[in-house]
Amino acid sequence: VDESELLTVPDGWKEPAFTREDNPKGLLEESSFATLFPKYREAYLKECWPLVQKALSEHYVNATLDLIEGSMTVTTTKKTFDPYAIIRARDLIKLLARSVPFEQVFRILQDDVACDIIKIGTLVRKRDTFIKRRGRLLGPKGSTLKALELLTNCYIMVQGNTVSALGPFSGLKEVRKVVLDTMKNIHPIYNIKTLMIKRELSKDPELRSQSWERFLPKFKRKNLKKRKEPKKKNTKKEYTPFPPPQPESQIDKELASGEYFLKDRQKKRKRVEEIKAKQADAIKKRQEERNKAFIPPKEKAVVKTKKASTEKKIDIEAIKEKVKNAKKKKLGALPAEEVKLKMAADEKKKKKK
């Protein structure tokens, strides 16, 4: 027999169910688990609690709902033979408290179904970024979450600061990886692509014993935003074992200038002279600033217009003739010759008549 066949589970094989014959004497001690639920789940739990009790009674586990305290409790009985039934009942009440509907929750009592509650509230510091990344996990109109459910065969419920997943063990492992990567700012679409490729590769029996790394995509990170360089760069000074020189004291400065040996009167006179010199400089600067207002601004140079060129000679005689002809002609009247011709034509017409 090949080793690859020994390592793989044959298709369609299921683990036999745990019956009373496996543990005929039952459990020696009673064990119980309790969990609190939020106020908004109270109305729903009231409605579905008879169904919860009926589902757990098949495994001989008691369930109590305390509305005053706001808690759910599950306990084993003398008839309980399956020691793992109380663990499944504990997961059931935890999922009910995390807003998972009972239609999905009762599947936890099956042998091949498990659950995982992933805490995501403390993975991101800022609340705004946490809400954005949680929304990225859901996708537009829940499309990303639906794709993840189809690929992993798990039911996923995103509620508040937790993500509740319900399904087979292999699917829960993938769901946890995708959720944690999304909170680390890795988009879920990359993990969904790899899951789709793995799903297709798992159908081929020849590739079961081979490595799938060559088929899986490798995504490189792209840093679009470049880090802004600071304006002031702190450069480290060269290390020297010697300490810096000690600053001069006031007495040392007075000794160097010779002021230390002066008398008190001379020191006072020197200070007064220094103060007067400073005052004179300040008065001088102030006076210069005041005088600036009386300085006239520089005027722009006037552009000289060029004289009209008198190179072209004017014909005065021609102008005189034009003026004479204009005087002879009346405005809007015919010339004298045309008037005479019209008069002659009118006389001829009168004689004919």
Side-chain angles (χ1 to χ4, degrees):
V1 181
D2 295 335
E3 289 183 1
S4 60
E5 289 181 7
L6 291 170
L7 293 169
T8 55
V9 178
D11 295 331
W13 183 85
K14 282 186 179 181
E15 192 175 347
F18 194 86
T19 57
R20 184 172 283 280
E21 293 174 2
D22 297 320
N23 188 16
K25 293 182 179 180
L27 303 175
L28 295 172
E29 289 192 14
E30 183 184 301
S31 55
S32 64
F33 288 102
T35 185
L36 299 170
F37 60 86
K39 185 75 176 174
Y40 61 86
R41 291 290 290 167
E42 188 176 324
Y44 181 78
L45 290 171
K46 268 187 192 177
E47 290 178 7
C48 71
W49 198 249
L51 297 170
V52 173
Q53 287 178 327
K54 187 180 178 183
L56 291 173
S57 63
E58 293 175 3
H59 298 269
Y60 303 102
V61 176
N62 287 335
T64 54
L65 178 68
D66 190 352
L67 296 173
I68 297 165
E69 193 181 345
S71 65
M72 294 179 282
T73 313
V74 286
T75 54
T76 56
T77 59
K78 291 180 180 180
K79 292 182 180 180
T80 308
F81 60 89
D82 187 0
Y84 200 72
I86 189 65
I87 303 297
R88 289 192 183 125
R90 178 201 66 181
D91 292 340
L92 185 142
I93 57 173
K94 273 188 180 180
L95 291 169
L96 282 171
R98 295 312 308 151
S99 298
V100 181
F102 179 75
E103 290 79 7
Q104 296 290 338
V105 167
F106 82 95
R107 288 170 53 213
I108 196 70
L109 300 172
Q110 299 172 12
D111 289 336
D112 57 344
V113 178
C115 75
D116 189 9
I117 297 168
I118 307 155
K119 292 179 181 179
I120 57 172
T122 56
L123 296 175
V124 185
R125 285 183 181 180
K126 291 182 181 179
R127 186 70 183 170
D128 295 338
T129 52
F130 168 72
I131 291 162
K132 282 179 184 177
R133 288 177 190 178
R134 188 179 65 181
R136 196 182 291 170
L137 187 65
L138 292 166
K141 296 180 181 179
S143 57
T144 308
L145 197 68
K146 190 68 182 173
L148 201 61
E149 284 180 350
L150 291 168
L151 289 167
T152 56
N153 296 323
C154 292
Y155 175 80
I156 305 164
M157 182 72 184
V158 181
Q159 176 72 17
N161 295 330
T162 57
V163 178
S164 306
L166 185 75
F169 291 99
S170 58
L172 292 173
K173 190 179 177 183
E174 297 293 342
V175 169
R176 178 171 273 275
K177 184 180 179 297
V178 173
V179 170
L180 294 177
D181 283 352
T182 306
M183 289 294 125
K184 290 174 186 175
N185 203 17
I186 298 167
H187 204 280
I189 196 69
Y190 300 121
N191 287 313
I192 285 167
K193 280 184 180 179
T194 53
L195 286 171
M196 287 169 75
I197 293 162
K198 282 180 181 178
R199 191 180 185 182
E200 294 298 320
L201 291 169
S202 62
K203 291 175 184 178
D204 193 352
E206 293 179 2
L207 294 169
R208 281 184 179 179
S209 59
Q210 296 179 15
S211 178
W212 292 351
E213 286 184 7
R214 55 186 176 170
F215 301 109
L216 298 175
K218 292 177 182 177
F219 301 105
K220 292 180 181 179
R221 288 187 178 182
K222 291 181 181 179
N223 294 328
L224 299 174
K225 289 183 180 179
K226 291 183 180 178
R227 186 176 171 274
K228 291 181 180 178
E229 293 183 358
K231 290 180 179 179
K232 292 180 181 179
K233 291 182 179 179
N234 297 327
T235 54
K236 287 186 178 180
K237 296 178 181 178
E238 293 182 2
Y239 174 73
T240 54
F242 306 105
Q246 192 174 0
E248 290 184 350
S249 64
Q250 189 67 25
I251 296 165
D252 292 337
K253 288 176 182 177
E254 288 178 358
L255 285 167
S257 62
E259 193 180 344
Y260 184 78
F261 303 104
L262 296 173
K263 292 179 182 179
D264 292 339
R265 287 181 183 178
Q266 291 173 338
K267 285 179 182 178
K268 282 182 181 179
R269 196 186 301 156
K270 194 176 181 182
R271 285 172 196 163
V272 170
E273 285 175 0
E274 286 176 358
I275 289 163
K276 284 182 178 179
K278 283 181 182 178
Q279 286 176 352
D281 289 336
I283 291 162
K284 191 178 179 182
K285 286 179 182 177
R286 208 179 300 132
Q287 196 66 35
E288 284 176 0
E289 287 178 1
R290 285 176 183 175
N291 292 334
K292 279 180 184 178
F294 300 102
I295 296 166
K298 290 181 180 179
E299 294 180 359
K300 291 181 180 179
V302 180
V303 180
K304 293 180 180 180
T305 55
K306 292 181 180 179
K307 291 181 180 180
S309 59
T310 56
E311 291 179 0
K312 293 179 181 180
K313 292 180 180 180
I314 299 164
D315 195 355
I316 297 166
E317 293 179 359
I319 293 166
K320 283 180 179 180
E321 286 179 3
K322 283 181 182 179
V323 171
K324 283 180 181 179
N325 293 330
K327 282 180 179 179
K328 288 177 182 178
K329 291 179 181 180
K330 290 181 181 179
L331 291 169
L334 294 169
E337 293 176 359
E338 289 182 8
V339 171
K340 286 178 181 179
L341 290 168
K342 276 189 175 184
M343 292 284 284
D346 291 337
E347 286 176 2
K348 284 179 181 180
K349 285 179 181 179
K350 285 178 181 179
K351 285 177 180 180
K352 284 178 181 181
K353 285 178 180 180

